Amino acid sequence: MSEITAITPQVKDKTRCNIFIDGRFCCGLTLETTVRNRLKVGQNITVEQLNEMQLESEKETAMDKALRHLTATAKTEKQIRDFLAGKGFLPAVCDYVVERLKGYNFLNDSDYAKTYASFASKKKGSRLIRMELRAKGIDENEIDGAIGEISVDDELETAKILLEKYLRGKQIDGLTLQKACRYLLSKGFAYETVKDVIKELGEIEEE
């Protein structure tokens, strides 16, 4: 059994304090954790007890940071995990926060994928959208569901709009159409979709 010899506020974060055991720094805790556990100078306590309190304190801190990170825009589970890991939180703490956020429905990869695909489909093709959702850590089944809500007609219409913008002010010839084809492919449209929207203007020159 050790003795708490000092409890001092942290200089950079007024919501946390430093706990000293037997004259030496032991750990940092949130003020809420310190008050809830009624810690005070002169109190006897074990290092194991403080470790448990520190874990709970870290969960609270991580939860607060995650919620603030979610304020600006929606995030995926992977993005939250990467954010917390980058802040130095342990995997167990990340697991705790993610499950809490999912329980509150603040994290929902299925909804995120559908919303993202709906907006992105106005300026890019489903292949590129699929790649971007994969990079964000979305499960393949969730991606399939989101991509499945993009109709063939909507994708063709988006490709036509992008093609019109690309060709504006350009001379329409075989070379230009070839470049337009590469442009639309880079936007994530399937080759068959690209051919369908370009064929009214002429044949694509194969390289």
Side-chain angles (χ1 to χ4, degrees):
M1 191 74 69
S2 301
E3 180 183 334
I4 298 177
T5 51
I7 300 177
T8 62
Q10 291 189 357
V11 176
K12 294 184 179 181
D13 188 346
K14 300 302 182 182
T15 66
R16 296 174 63 84
C17 61
N18 296 321
I19 307 297
F20 292 80
I21 298 295
D22 296 333
R24 295 183 179 182
F25 172 76
C26 179
C27 64
L29 298 175
T30 61
L31 291 177
E32 182 179 348
T33 301
T34 304
V35 172
R36 185 171 61 245
N37 288 279
R38 300 178 181 179
L39 299 183
K40 58 185 179 181
V41 175
Q43 178 181 342
N44 291 324
I45 195 168
T46 66
V47 174
E48 289 72 24
Q49 287 175 314
L50 274 174
N51 286 340
E52 290 179 8
M53 293 178 193
Q54 186 181 29
L55 179 59
E56 292 304 311
S57 178
E58 289 301 289
K59 288 178 179 179
E60 293 168 8
T61 301
M63 187 69 180
D64 181 60
K65 289 184 180 296
L67 286 171
R68 280 185 286 175
H69 191 53
L70 281 167
T71 300
T73 58
K75 302 291 189 301
T76 66
E77 179 178 329
K78 179 180 183 298
Q79 288 173 325
I80 288 296
R81 288 185 182 279
D82 289 346
F83 169 75
L84 292 176
K87 296 293 183 182
F89 292 104
L90 296 172
V93 174
C94 297
D95 290 342
Y96 168 82
V97 171
V98 165
E99 290 307 312
R100 283 277 304 276
L101 293 175
K102 288 167 70 174
Y104 295 143
N105 204 35
F106 291 160
L107 270 186
N108 189 315
D109 280 3
S110 178
D111 288 349
Y112 181 99
K114 290 175 182 177
T115 300
Y116 185 90
S118 176
F119 281 99
S121 64
K122 304 295 189 299
K123 54 185 178 180
K124 60 189 72 172
S126 57
R127 289 187 175 184
L128 181 55
I129 295 171
R130 181 178 292 276
M131 289 175 58
E132 290 174 344
L133 288 174
R134 281 174 179 164
K136 294 175 183 293
I138 303 294
D139 179 80
E140 202 67 33
N141 290 330
E142 304 291 0
I143 295 176
D144 288 340
I147 296 297
E149 295 191 1
I150 303 173
S151 71
V152 174
D153 289 341
D154 286 343
E155 184 144 345
L156 280 169
E157 183 62 25
T158 298
K160 287 179 182 179
I161 292 172
L162 291 178
L163 178 62
E164 289 174 3
K165 290 181 179 179
Y166 179 82
L167 294 176
R168 196 170 296 158
K170 293 184 174 68
Q171 180 180 345
I172 307 301
D173 55 27
L175 182 59
T176 299
L177 293 180
Q178 183 187 94
K179 291 180 179 179
C181 174
R182 288 199 295 267
Y183 169 74
L184 290 177
L185 290 173
S186 73
K187 289 291 183 179
F189 296 98
Y191 185 67
E192 290 303 316
T193 300
V194 174
K195 283 205 305 183
D196 286 343
V197 298
I198 290 182
K199 66 182 180 181
E200 297 178 5
L201 301 175
E203 293 296 325
I204 303 172
E205 290 188 5
E206 301 289 349
E207 292 182 315

